[in-house]
Amino acid sequence: MTDASILWYANRATGAVCLVLFTVVVLLGVAVRLRTRLPGLPRFGTVSLHRTISLSATAFLAIHIATAVIDGYVDISPLDVLIPFASDYQPLWLGLGTVALDLMLAVLVTSLFRERLGHRTWRAIHWLAYASWPVALIHGMGIGTDTGTDWMLWLTVTCVAAVLTAFTIRVTRAARADRRTPATLLTAEGARP
């Protein structure tokens, strides 16, 4: 196996791993927001797991990007990684990956400085994570060489179904909470309205 083929396989493998890890990050983010406890973990354990897997996913993303830039098979420059739609190689699909990266970098940097930014600012920027996941997914579907394989199709369908389910639960619970009035809250707590 040549160095070029090792880079090619590493790029493909880390792309698939990123899909799985960032899907888990989104699912854990929803679980944290809904105050869901995972079996065997206290609530802060869910938050800690979300952060840890986020960092692991970011590390795999760095490897994914580095192998794409280092691999000489296609011409992807470091600037192409940071500036959306600037690449000569598949500008739309690579550009979407760049947009997803830029959104994730905003989430990562603001998460590192969360205490200094304040909760509202951090939370507003953290919503970009919800936007980056589907953009990255579309990037992978458009540029990924394994997109047409059965295993990648099933992996993608599973990840999309999981995120859609979690998002539906989150939106449903938020809508239900918005419909509750102070009188219904008092009634639910056993007091008379």
Side-chain angles (χ1 to χ4, degrees):
M1 190 176 287
T2 66
D3 289 344
S5 63
I6 290 171
L7 289 171
W8 180 247
Y9 285 116
N11 184 266
R12 292 166 57 197
T14 54
V17 170
C18 283
L19 173 61
V20 172
L21 289 177
F22 280 116
T23 297
V24 172
V25 168
V26 170
L27 298 176
L28 287 169
V30 171
V32 167
R33 183 68 185 139
L34 296 176
R35 301 183 195 286
T36 304
R37 285 186 53 205
L38 298 178
L41 285 179
R43 183 172 163 355
F44 72 85
T46 305
V47 172
S48 180
L49 187 61
H50 173 68
R51 289 180 184 157
T52 301
I53 294 179
S54 295
L55 291 174
S56 298
T58 303
F60 273 95
L61 181 59
I63 295 168
H64 177 68
I65 292 167
T67 57
V69 171
I70 295 168
D71 186 7
Y73 183 72
V74 294
D75 187 25
I76 299 174
S77 74
L79 281 179
D80 296 335
V81 171
L82 298 173
I83 302 171
F85 313 108
S87 175
D88 291 332
Y89 175 73
Q90 298 201 21
L92 174 63
W93 303 123
L94 189 62
L96 289 173
T98 301
V99 168
L101 171 66
D102 292 345
L103 293 172
M104 286 307 304
L105 287 175
V107 171
L108 177 67
V109 169
T110 56
S111 291
L112 293 173
F113 296 103
R114 180 179 178 178
E115 298 302 319
R116 292 185 182 167
L117 289 174
H119 184 72
R120 283 187 180 181
T121 303
W122 169 81
R123 188 168 175 206
I125 295 170
H126 207 77
W127 275 91
L128 295 175
Y130 283 122
S132 68
W133 187 87
V135 173
L137 176 75
I138 294 167
H139 154 77
M141 289 173 25
I143 205 169
T145 56
D146 292 314
T147 300
T149 62
D150 289 342
W151 72 269
M152 193 62 195
L153 175 66
W154 283 109
L155 181 65
T156 303
V157 167
T158 302
C159 290
V160 169
V163 168
L164 287 177
T165 300
F167 188 70
T168 300
I169 292 168
R170 183 170 178 346
V171 169
T172 302
R173 286 197 186 168
R176 195 176 315 142
D178 286 345
R179 285 194 302 261
R180 294 178 72 173
T181 63
T184 57
L185 287 175
L186 287 174
T187 305
E189 294 172 359
R192 289 193 166 142

